[in-house]
Structure formats: structure tokens, C-alpha cells
Amino acid sequence: MKKLIITAALTGAEVTREQQPNLPITPDEIARAAYECYLAGASIVHVHARDEHGKASQSAEIYRIIKEKIENKCNVIFQPSTGGAVWHRFEERTGPLEVFPEMATLSTGTCNFGEDVFFNPQNYMEGFAREMQKRGIKPEIEIFERGMIANALKLVKKGLLAPPLHFDLVMGVPGAIPGDVEDLVYLKNRLPSDATWTVAGIGRYELPLSVHAIAMGGHVRVGFEDNIYYSKGKLADSNAQLVERIVRIAKELGREIATPDEAREILRIGVQQ
Ligand code: KMH
Ligand code: ZN
């Protein structure tokens, strides 16, 4: 099996300080959390920016500051979100692509998202894919439902995505696919054979799905965007604490941990496609 890529989803767009007092919000806090996660074993950090009031923001300027601060500390892969928050429009959501990250997320379909709708119609998907292709940014394709895999493959046919694709199976969002192991096996079996994949289990699904992904040869995403708890009713101290646990489990299961450069190689980042 390839080495394990651990992504730390540090902040997200929805979680608040009231829910998780240790949530990193300012660029300094996000960069510090990224560095701690890198030291713990993460090779990618998935980042959502927040404005000075702590509200989700897709401002290129804030993403630029965060990217610089992280790059000053370590070579972890900076992966900003084009998903933003459910209220962000397409034009706002492309903000982080202006700072030329190595990677960015790309959601290939619309789904319910708690009480809201995460809106990704065809013209959004094509628009994000085109903007990333133009800049040589590796997409991480966010899958919240099975149909979104089919939508991604349509983008390949249109020449907007180039294999090998990299997917993030986001499982357990209220309103979208649940996070039972059977659901993971089902999604994984629908991916192209040359694809790489990671799993982001939401809330209580995070730990069991992570363990299964490690055993199945997939990769793992943890962090406050997806789960604020260490165990039932007990908040995690930090994003890094969640990464450290995955490292311990992976080692027990015989999976070595990828460095950022090894993750670049596994994901073929920077390879002309
Ligand atoms: N905040 C969600 C509505 C992504 O980062 O690309 C979308 C999201 C996906 O978090
Ligand atoms: Zn996100």
C-alpha cells in the first residue's frame, strides 16, 4: 500500500468558537494549526478563510495571507476551499484560486447540507474545473453523493479534468450520504481504478471511516471542519490531536505516513496533465 496521506481540515465554514473554543480563525491561528498538524504527520491542510468577525470568507487577500504564513513555517500542501459556505456565490468561491494554490477542492454536485443546500450546478462545476485547469491547480473532487462521481467523470469527458483523479469522500453530512462502512465500500467501488481517494467522516463517523480507509488503502481527512470531538462528548484539544491519533492507528496497522513531498508524488501534483 502507498503511504498514508493525512489531510487536516482546520477550520471549515460552519463551526464556531462557541462550539469549539480551540477553533483556529485568524490567519496566524490557522497557520499555527497547520504547522502543528504538519509536525503531527499531516501532509495537506484544507483551509477555509474567516474574516475579522470570524465569518466564512472567500477573500483572495485573506487566503493569500494564510498561504504565506503557512509557507513560512513548512512545506505542507495548502488546499483552500472553493466550496466556501452555502451562501457564497460562484464569483466569491473562486477567490482562493487567485493565489495559485497547488490544490483546491471542487465539488461535483448539489446536495442538501443540514438545513441548507450546497449549490453546485453544472456551470459551477465546469467553471471551477476550468479555472483550476488554467492555473495548473490539482483538484480534490469532493463527493457528498454517488451521482457526484458520475458528474466528475463527465468533466473528464469534456476535457475539464485529467486523470488520475483524486477524490475526497465526504460522508455523514446531514442530508447527504451517511457514513456507514457499507456506504464507503459502495463509493470506493464506483471510483476509477487509477483514482486516489481520501475519506472525510463527519462527526461520529470520522474515526470508524478513517480506520477503514487506512485498511482499504485510502487516505484520511480529520479536523475541526468535520468533527470537533475527540470522543463522545469530549471536545478535541486541537486539530493536531486528531492527526496524532490517526498516525498512531496507521502505524499499528502497518501504514507509513506520507511527507508532503511524498503526498505530492502520490497525487501527481505538479505533473503536467
Ligand atoms: N462548507 C461547505 C458548504 C469544500 O470545502 O470544498 C462546503 C465545503 C466543501 O466545505
Ligand atoms: Zn471544506
Side-chain angles (χ1 to χ4, degrees), residues 62-132:
I62 303 177
Y63 277 106
R64 195 183 319 279
I65 294 167
I66 297 170
K67 180 170 179 275
E68 275 173 20
K69 285 183 184 289
I70 293 174
E71 281 171 356
N72 284 340
K73 290 178 188 288
C74 60
N75 70 342
V76 73
I77 298 168
F78 170 72
Q79 181 207 78
S81 169
T82 66
V86 289
W87 66 84
H88 284 129
R89 291 170 294 113
F90 175 84
E91 299 72 28
E92 295 171 284
R93 284 170 55 181
T94 54
L97 304 182
E98 289 175 32
V99 311
F100 289 85
E102 289 176 274
M103 273 188 115
T105 53
L106 163 59
S107 293
T108 50
T110 297
C111 63
N112 282 1
F113 196 88
E115 301 297 309
D116 299 300
V117 173
F118 183 33
F119 193 60
N120 294 291
Q122 190 68 28
N123 61 329
Y124 276 40
M125 294 182 238
E126 292 187 12
F128 290 129
R130 200 170 285 117
E131 293 303 315
M132 288 189 212

Side-chain angles (χ1 to χ4, degrees), residues 12 46 48 81 221 225:
H46 172 65
H48 285 253
S81 169
R221 176 172 119 171
E225 172 165 349

Side-chain angles (χ1 to χ4, degrees), residues 1 31 41 86 127 143 151 158-159 180 200 230 244 254 265 268 273:
M1 275 188 205
V86 289
I143 300 299
N151 290 341
K158 290 190 170 204
D180 295 314
Y230 189 78
E244 284 161 6
E265 211 177 301
R268 298 170 61 82
Q273 290 183 349

